[in-house]
Amino acid sequence: QKEVEQNSGPLSVPEGAIASLNCTYSDRGSQSFFWYRQYSGKSPELIMFIYSNGDKEDGRFTAQLNKASQYVSLLIRDSQPSDSATYLCAVNTGYSTLTFGKGTMLLVSP
Amino acid sequence: GAGVSQSPSNKVTEKGKDVELRCDPISGHTALYWYRQSLGQGLEFLIYFQGNSAPDKSGLPSDRFSAERTGGSVSTLTIQRTQQEDSAVYLCASSFDIAGGDTDTQYFGPGTRLTVL
């Protein structure tokens, strides 16, 4: 069974700190990896995607992918209270269907 | 352009009734996906369409669930004889295609909150 694992949290960080969110996946054939943010009562919104090993930066967000270790992470620099949400890791495991982790709740305190 | 839209936003029904949920994908997106999310749970894949055909129906929980897509656009998810365990938020997403790369990025609609009494 294809699985995507995330720590449920909550991960608590002070405003201005770096938040590090981690995700592991079981299917070595996975090709594309996505991070979504979901505010309470809202639908998931895409933050960024990554396909190649290494880092990908977009503003305050950096996604890191290590296919050998089957590990993908999201770093949020200069965390803001508005970043408080649940962060979903999703992995494309074939036929374009995504397998989602259960999400990590991030709490950024002022 | 407009994003993915879903209707109704909320649906309350009695156990045993049938319900129909609608999804209108982003214009030009050929792939459409249905998920559901129960309270405090992750997203559960239900079915996806490429054009009007559904190559993967593996996530449908039972034969009470069905979905169709016509004209390569709007999709409806139908739940027959609803049960209380069907209560969840039903989310629809669409992507440009399934070819890989950034064209398979999925964008979500606002969801339909279904409550079965």
Side-chain angles (χ1 to χ4, degrees):
Chain A
Q1 182 155 348
K2 298 168 182 174
E3 296 181 344
V4 177
E5 300 287 341
Q6 294 181 257
N7 188 317
S8 62
L11 173 66
S12 295
V13 300
E15 184 174 359
I18 296 175
S20 177
L21 303 160
N22 304 315
C23 173
T24 59
Y25 58 95
S26 63
D27 185 358
R28 283 196 171 275
S30 300
Q31 294 296 317
S32 48
F33 307 85
F34 302 82
W35 283 100
Y36 287 84
R37 176 175 62 198
Q38 187 173 27
Y39 292 110
S40 181
K42 302 294 186 182
S43 61
E45 56 178 325
L46 180 72
I47 297 176
M48 61 192 306
F49 54 84
I50 186 168
Y51 304 110
S52 304
N53 276 328
D55 295 358
K56 179 182 178 183
E57 185 174 321
D58 183 0
R60 296 187 296 114
F61 299 96
T62 299
Q64 299 175 318
L65 175 61
N66 184 326
K67 290 186 178 180
S69 300
Q70 296 174 241
Y71 175 90
V72 59
S73 66
L74 180 70
L75 300 178
I76 307 174
R77 290 181 298 281
D78 188 24
S79 296
Q80 301 297 309
S82 58
D83 294 327
S84 297
T86 296
Y87 289 79
L88 303 173
C89 172
V91 177
N92 187 327
T93 54
Y95 303 102
S96 199
T97 57
L98 293 181
T99 299
F100 281 83
K102 292 189 176 181
T104 298
M105 180 182 294
L106 173 66
L107 298 175
V108 181
S109 54
Chain B
V4 178
S5 60
Q6 293 186 245
S7 61
S9 55
N10 280 285
K11 177 71 177 178
V12 180
T13 190
E14 294 179 347
K15 178 181 174 181
K17 300 284 189 181
D18 297 352
V19 295
E20 194 171 276
L21 313 179
R22 176 188 168 106
C23 172
D24 201 341
I26 292 172
S27 178
H29 280 196
T30 62
L32 184 149
Y33 313 80
W34 284 100
Y35 298 85
R36 74 176 175 182
Q37 188 172 34
S38 302
L39 190 62
Q41 299 298 310
L43 271 72
E44 176 188 6
F45 168 78
L46 299 178
I47 187 171
Y48 103 94
F49 290 89
Q50 177 60 25
N52 292 334
S53 63
D56 188 353
K57 304 180 181 179
S58 62
L60 293 177
S62 74
D63 58 9
R64 297 186 295 105
F65 287 72
S66 63
E68 65 175 14
R69 188 181 186 195
T70 55
S73 183
V74 171
S75 175
T76 55
L77 176 69
T78 301
I79 309 173
Q80 295 178 310
R81 306 180 302 281
T82 51
Q83 303 294 311
Q84 288 181 332
E85 61 264 27
D86 299 333
S87 296
V89 175
Y90 288 80
L91 291 161
C92 175
S94 71
S95 66
F96 185 71
D97 64 26
I98 60 168
D102 60 1
T103 58
D104 65 356
T105 300
Q106 296 183 22
Y107 297 91
F108 283 83
T112 294
R113 182 174 299 277
L114 174 66
T115 303
V116 182
L117 301 176

